[in-house]
Amino acid sequence: MPKKSTSIKLKPPVSLRDRVYDYVKTQIIEGNIPPSEILTELNLSKQLGISRTPVREALHYLEKEGMLYALPKKGYKVRAVDRRELEEICEIRCALETIAAKWAIERITQDQIHALKENVVTAERKLADGDLPAFVSLDGEFHELLAKASGSRQLVNIILSLRNDMIRSRITGLKKDGLMDAVEGHKHMLEALMEKDLSKAETAIREHLENLKRDSSTNK
């Protein structure tokens, strides 16, 4: 009797546009492309040794995400977060994540708690290793996991729509030694969820975002 064939799932190839997108975004996150620098299709295509089309597409996508803004007939610049915008982002996040925590306390599963624990451990290790892009990704992932633990699809969609603003607000504080405070904040939030203590969760969320505002203003 012939053996049943084993299905093999192949990962789709990464497009050149996506590679350029990942490269530029990483350079922005690491602070290697300051807000004062002008990015152009021509310079980037020469630097990367590729045609201008995937560069154009990647820069346009980053503009749509809010990471860059276009300069007429000149190129692009990194869109920094000013103080007022940062405060607005933090206030919106605080309101949304407090709701997420309230519902998560009622609905969170053991698998979701495990995923949050793994996220904290990995983020702590990446930060210690100086892998800032990985840390930023994990930082955003923690809040995404929290939103999903709420069990509300609508809330998840709203929080995910703010993800790039969250990343941009985090960029300004990346070089600060106090970034470990972010991991500690996540630990406190996780403890509150495990203890089903909404008051403790609200305090942890507020302190976490206040630390973000403090670190960002210090680095300006």
Side-chain angles (χ1 to χ4, degrees), residues 50-217:
I50 58 177
S51 70
R52 294 174 63 170
T53 299
V55 173
R56 181 185 307 115
E57 292 173 349
L59 292 176
H60 180 64
Y61 196 69
L62 286 164
E63 181 191 11
K64 287 179 65 177
E65 285 191 339
M67 299 289 286
L68 301 174
Y69 67 93
L71 300 170
K73 299 181 180 180
K74 289 185 179 180
Y76 295 85
K77 278 190 174 184
V78 174
R79 188 162 76 87
V81 180
D82 61 29
R83 182 67 188 176
R84 179 176 177 179
E85 187 178 5
L86 175 61
E87 290 179 351
E88 289 177 353
I89 290 169
C90 288
E91 286 300 316
I92 293 170
R93 286 182 59 181
C94 188
L96 291 174
E97 292 184 22
T98 297
I99 296 172
K102 178 182 177 181
W103 292 343
I105 284 172
E106 302 169 357
R107 304 168 181 174
I108 195 166
T109 66
Q110 287 301 312
D111 285 344
Q112 289 170 328
I113 289 174
H114 178 73
L116 286 165
K117 287 180 178 179
E118 286 292 310
N119 175 279
V120 169
V121 171
T122 305
E124 197 168 29
R125 185 176 69 250
K126 293 296 183 180
L127 185 57
D129 292 342
D131 190 344
L132 298 183
F135 171 79
V136 170
S137 178
L138 288 162
D139 183 71
E141 181 186 273
F142 180 92
H143 296 276
E144 183 178 335
L145 290 169
L146 171 62
K148 289 179 177 178
S150 74
S152 169
R153 179 172 55 84
Q154 289 84 354
L155 187 56
V156 171
N157 289 339
I158 294 170
I159 289 177
L160 288 182
S161 72
L162 293 170
R163 179 154 188 167
N164 283 296
D165 283 334
M166 294 177 186
I167 290 175
R168 290 194 304 112
S169 67
R170 171 56 68 197
I171 288 171
T172 55
L174 277 174
K175 301 302 181 183
K176 181 77 174 176
D177 291 339
L179 275 178
M180 191 59 75
D181 289 345
V183 179
E184 292 301 316
H186 290 174
K187 288 180 180 178
H188 295 156
M189 293 162 67
L190 177 56
E191 288 172 4
L193 292 177
M194 294 173 64
E195 295 169 9
K196 299 188 179 299
D197 188 331
L198 179 57
S199 177
K200 185 174 180 178
E202 290 176 342
T203 299
I205 291 167
R206 173 64 64 180
E207 290 180 350
H208 178 66
L209 295 171
E210 286 297 325
N211 285 337
L212 170 58
K213 288 196 290 186
R214 180 204 65 205
D215 290 345
S216 297
S217 62

